[in-house]
mmCIF file of all heavy atoms in Angstrom:
data_model
loop_
_atom_site.group_PDB
_atom_site.id
_atom_site.type_symbol
_atom_site.label_atom_id
_atom_site.label_comp_id
_atom_site.label_asym_id
_atom_site.label_seq_id
_atom_site.Cartn_x
_atom_site.Cartn_y
_atom_site.Cartn_z
ATOM 1 N N SER A 111 29.297 64.226 162.871
ATOM 2 C CA SER A 111 28.377 62.965 162.731
ATOM 3 C C SER A 111 28.956 61.991 161.708
ATOM 4 O O SER A 111 28.872 60.831 161.945
ATOM 5 C CB SER A 111 26.983 63.480 162.253
ATOM 6 O OG SER A 111 26.109 62.432 162.099
ATOM 7 N N SER A 112 29.362 62.521 160.546
ATOM 8 C CA SER A 112 29.939 61.621 159.516
ATOM 9 C C SER A 112 31.119 60.886 160.043
ATOM 10 O O SER A 112 31.359 59.704 159.605
ATOM 11 C CB SER A 112 30.364 62.439 158.246
ATOM 12 O OG SER A 112 29.209 63.081 157.708
ATOM 13 N N LEU A 113 31.941 61.531 160.817
ATOM 14 C CA LEU A 113 33.123 60.922 161.387
ATOM 15 C C LEU A 113 33.004 60.287 162.780
ATOM 16 O O LEU A 113 33.878 59.701 163.405
ATOM 17 C CB LEU A 113 34.356 61.924 161.474
ATOM 18 C CG LEU A 113 34.695 62.538 160.139
ATOM 19 C CD1 LEU A 113 35.732 63.621 160.370
ATOM 20 C CD2 LEU A 113 35.290 61.530 159.181
ATOM 21 N N THR A 114 31.804 60.209 163.248
ATOM 22 C CA THR A 114 31.412 59.818 164.574
ATOM 23 C C THR A 114 32.358 60.254 165.616
ATOM 24 O O THR A 114 32.967 59.464 166.471
ATOM 25 C CB THR A 114 31.289 58.199 164.675
ATOM 26 O OG1 THR A 114 32.518 57.734 164.243
ATOM 27 C CG2 THR A 114 30.267 57.748 163.653
ATOM 28 N N SER A 115 32.693 61.594 165.638
ATOM 29 C CA SER A 115 33.676 62.073 166.454
ATOM 30 C C SER A 115 33.208 62.894 167.682
ATOM 31 O O SER A 115 33.974 63.149 168.643
ATOM 32 C CB SER A 115 34.711 62.954 165.696
ATOM 33 O OG SER A 115 34.009 64.170 165.144
ATOM 34 N N GLY A 116 31.955 63.439 167.645
ATOM 35 C CA GLY A 116 31.522 64.232 168.700
ATOM 36 C C GLY A 116 31.853 65.655 168.410
ATOM 37 O O GLY A 116 32.823 66.037 167.771
ATOM 38 N N LEU A 117 31.146 66.630 169.130
ATOM 39 C CA LEU A 117 31.340 68.046 169.042
ATOM 40 C C LEU A 117 30.911 68.781 170.221
ATOM 41 O O LEU A 117 29.840 68.576 170.661
ATOM 42 C CB LEU A 117 30.584 68.558 167.700
ATOM 43 C CG LEU A 117 30.598 70.015 167.516
ATOM 44 C CD1 LEU A 117 31.933 70.631 167.076
ATOM 45 C CD2 LEU A 117 29.491 70.425 166.504
ATOM 46 N N THR A 118 31.617 69.731 170.660
ATOM 47 C CA THR A 118 31.336 70.571 171.704
ATOM 48 C C THR A 118 31.020 71.991 171.205
ATOM 49 O O THR A 118 32.016 72.612 170.668
ATOM 50 C CB THR A 118 32.263 70.662 172.899
ATOM 51 O OG1 THR A 118 32.523 69.345 173.356
ATOM 52 C CG2 THR A 118 31.785 71.507 173.977
ATOM 53 N N ALA A 119 29.902 72.564 171.377
ATOM 54 C CA ALA A 119 29.542 73.880 170.739
ATOM 55 C C ALA A 119 29.663 74.963 171.772
ATOM 56 O O ALA A 119 29.633 74.832 172.997
ATOM 57 C CB ALA A 119 28.105 73.832 170.203
ATOM 58 N N ASP A 120 30.047 76.173 171.240
ATOM 59 C CA ASP A 120 30.093 77.428 172.042
ATOM 60 C C ASP A 120 31.064 77.360 173.147
ATOM 61 O O ASP A 120 30.798 77.764 174.302
ATOM 62 C CB ASP A 120 28.650 77.806 172.578
ATOM 63 C CG ASP A 120 27.755 78.345 171.452
ATOM 64 O OD1 ASP A 120 28.317 78.889 170.462
ATOM 65 O OD2 ASP A 120 26.566 78.117 171.527
ATOM 66 N N CYS A 121 32.296 76.882 172.984
ATOM 67 C CA CYS A 121 33.267 76.838 173.930
ATOM 68 C C CYS A 121 33.760 78.249 174.321
ATOM 69 O O CYS A 121 33.863 79.064 173.475
ATOM 70 C CB CYS A 121 34.476 75.996 173.585
ATOM 71 S SG CYS A 121 34.092 74.248 173.315
ATOM 72 N N THR A 122 34.078 78.343 175.550
ATOM 73 C CA THR A 122 34.647 79.635 175.943
ATOM 74 C C THR A 122 36.143 79.566 176.293
ATOM 75 O O THR A 122 36.836 80.633 176.439
ATOM 76 C CB THR A 122 33.862 80.197 177.273
ATOM 77 O OG1 THR A 122 33.947 79.220 178.307
ATOM 78 C CG2 THR A 122 32.518 80.498 177.026
#
Side-chain angles (χ1 to χ4, degrees):
S111 176
S112 297
L113 298 174
T114 62
S115 64
L117 169 73
T118 302
D120 288 329
C121 292
T122 55

